[in-house]
Amino acid sequence: EKGGHEYFMLKEIDEQPEALANTLRGHFEAGRIILDEQRISDQDLRDVDKVFVVACGSAYHSGLVAKYAIEHWCRLPVEVELASEFRYRDPVLDRDTLVVAVSQSGETADTLEAVRHAREQKARVLAVCNTNGAQIPRESDAVLYTHAGPEIGVASTKAFLAQIAANYLVGLALAQARGTKYPDEVAREFGELEAMPAAVQKVLSTVEQTRELGRRIADSRAVLFLGRHVGFPVALEGALKLKELAYMHAEGFAAGELKHGPIALIEEGLPVVVVMPSPKGRAVLHSKLVSNISEIQARGARTIVIAEEGDETVRPFADELIEVPAVPTLLQPLVSTVPLQVLAAEIARSRGYDVDKPRNLAKSVTVE
Ligand code: M6R
């Protein structure tokens, strides 16, 4: 059942292209984004004036990624909240607020309570879920299933990529309903999403080098992760994978925060993973990160750089370079997360840990 893989997680990493294709399937017909099985009306979407994404763990990171896209496409304010914080706060919601509750299992206690909290205040709740008929979709107004297939490994992989794609469908549906994107632009964005399974497949065909790197740094005491823009949540996700699988101290930071504290952690030989934006995207983002890498390298860090193929500027600053295919900026998390999953899994294996069942963790956190 592991399809020749040693662990379910490794199988699930390999299934990501198929999972993404399944998430997108059936959601673009006759030139329009079609949201969900249960339908949420266009009028409801038009009236939305604020979006909250509530979730935990990796699902929360998928929401952080979506914030960049939804704000850009829809010109709507987007707040991304840890469900465990949201549920005990007094968030400002009304019937024109769309709350997107993201959960692979659909059973996470805090996310479920966040859904109840939002509905009490008359917000509309859309669940993004991977498990048919789970409690969170049952208690939501509408549901968008990710269709990534069952995820057995405790560390989320294919469900995470599928959540990003599903959140993007929500963003495109909002843009379409609100008219902030023309139909041909929505079609183009969807077309770019549809090209992602092939891009992820390409990353998967080159992961051997990442595995080998994982084995070489498996004895490190800590690993830091830096990113900007959509690369920031990718850094958080890379650090979470490493914590949960390899029991290693790992932290993700927004690269712009370096001088506000984290740079003090840099010491000789400390591996620092840097998630680079495309050199063809916003030039300022790229050049800022290049200078961040040079600063940490000058202080002795061992830089591990995830960069777009052919990005020559970054080469001199990369002690280790992992190349990913060129894709539009907002879609980069779908390719740049994959090497970080592979890295964490390989470090954990090298340290002799069970990659599917990390200590102290459950697949679905149904108690607080
Ligand atoms: O089932 P959910 O998506 O609601 O789960 C949320 C988190 O518990 C989950 O993403 C967790 O952080 C993963 N183990 C991360 O790999």
Side-chain angles (χ1 to χ4, degrees):
E1 52 182 355
K2 291 180 197 151
H5 292 79
E6 187 185 353
Y7 288 107
F8 281 107
M9 182 191 173
L10 306 179
K11 172 169 174 265
E12 289 158 5
I13 288 174
D14 279 352
E15 286 171 348
Q16 293 184 109
E18 191 190 335
L20 275 178
N22 289 340
T23 304
L24 298 174
R25 182 163 304 123
H27 287 297
F28 190 76
E29 276 161 24
R32 290 182 61 75
I33 299 282
I34 313 284
L35 249 204
D36 73 299
E37 287 85 351
Q38 222 170 294
R39 296 291 152 100
I40 189 164
S41 77
D42 266 6
Q43 186 58 49
D44 291 344
L45 288 180
R46 239 190 314 276
D47 290 343
V48 168
D49 62 11
K50 182 160 56 166
V51 178
F52 277 90
V53 182
V54 294
C56 304
S58 293
Y60 167 71
H61 297 156
S62 83
L64 292 176
V65 171
K67 175 181 169 81
Y68 296 84
I70 300 177
E71 287 178 349
H72 179 65
W73 291 334
C74 312
R75 309 306 302 136
L76 276 173
V78 180
E79 306 283 345
V80 188
E81 299 260 359
L82 290 166
S84 54
E85 289 296 315
F86 177 90
R87 63 176 284 198
Y88 291 116
R89 285 198 2 261
D90 200 3
V92 183
L93 314 171
D94 61 27
R95 59 182 66 249
D96 293 332
T97 311
L98 178 68
V99 173
V100 183
V102 186
S103 175
Q104 187 286 128
S105 62
E107 303 290 348
T108 299
D110 282 323
T111 311
L112 178 59
E113 287 304 329
V115 165
R116 291 175 177 158
H117 193 42
R119 293 204 68 193
E120 270 160 24
Q121 293 169 75
K122 308 280 180 264
R124 288 173 208 285
V125 180
L126 168 69
V128 169
C129 183
N130 196 42
T131 313
N132 271 345
Q135 195 64 20
I136 290 170
R138 278 213 300 273
E139 295 200 23
S140 299
D141 296 298
V143 52
L144 180 57
Y145 282 112
T146 40
H147 298 297
E151 194 179 60
I152 312 289
V154 164
S156 188
T157 53
K158 63 177 180 173
F160 174 68
L161 260 55
Q163 284 162 350
I164 295 175
N167 294 345
Y168 278 12
L169 289 175
V170 175
L172 290 177
L174 281 166
Q176 172 179 274
R178 291 166 51 76
T180 49
K181 283 264 175 210
Y182 290 115
D184 60 320
E185 293 172 310
V186 173
R188 197 181 58 232
E189 300 286 358
F190 186 81
E192 285 173 347
L193 270 172
E194 274 192 310
M196 293 312 292
V200 172
Q201 192 61 56
K202 204 168 168 202
V203 181
L204 290 171
S205 65
T206 62
V207 292
E208 201 37 59
Q209 174 212 352
T210 308
R211 291 210 177 97
E212 187 265 326
L213 168 64
R215 292 191 285 273
R216 278 191 283 123
I217 63 169
D219 289 337
S220 307
R221 274 201 312 147
V223 180
L224 303 186
F225 293 76
L226 295 180
R228 258 176 207 269
H229 194 261
V230 288
F232 169 43
V234 172
L236 296 177
E237 176 65 7
L240 177 60
K241 290 282 97 84
L242 198 55
K243 277 175 214 167
E244 64 179 338
L245 295 174
Y247 321 146
M248 223 184 217
H249 175 232
E251 289 296 327
F253 297 106
E257 281 291 292
L258 259 182
K259 292 197 177 78
H260 301 284
I263 200 163
L265 292 169
I266 306 293
E267 58 189 19
E268 196 61 38
L270 176 76
V272 181
V273 178
V274 183
V275 183
M276 281 301 293
S278 166
K280 295 177 220 114
R282 294 207 353 237
V284 64
L285 286 179
H286 187 270
S287 65
K288 286 263 168 72
L289 261 172
V290 170
S291 77
N292 292 144
I293 308 180
S294 69
E295 282 158 0
I296 57 171
Q297 202 187 37
R299 286 165 180 78
R302 176 173 184 180
T303 58
I304 300 169
V305 180
I306 318 280
E308 185 173 303
E309 292 167 336
D311 181 352
E312 292 303 325
T313 8
V314 92
R315 219 169 254 280
F317 306 104
D319 296 321
E320 311 280 349
L321 183 64
I322 298 173
E323 292 188 307
V324 290
V327 300
T329 298
L330 289 169
L331 301 182
Q332 279 176 351
L334 297 172
V335 291
S336 51
T337 302
V338 177
L340 305 188
Q341 300 166 340
V342 171
L343 196 66
E346 192 63 33
I347 293 176
R349 284 174 73 211
S350 300
R351 291 164 79 115
Y353 303 143
D354 183 330
V355 173
D356 284 338
K357 293 193 190 64
R359 70 184 181 202
N360 306 339
L361 293 173
K363 181 65 186 162
S364 162
V365 184
T366 52
V367 288
E368 269 184 78

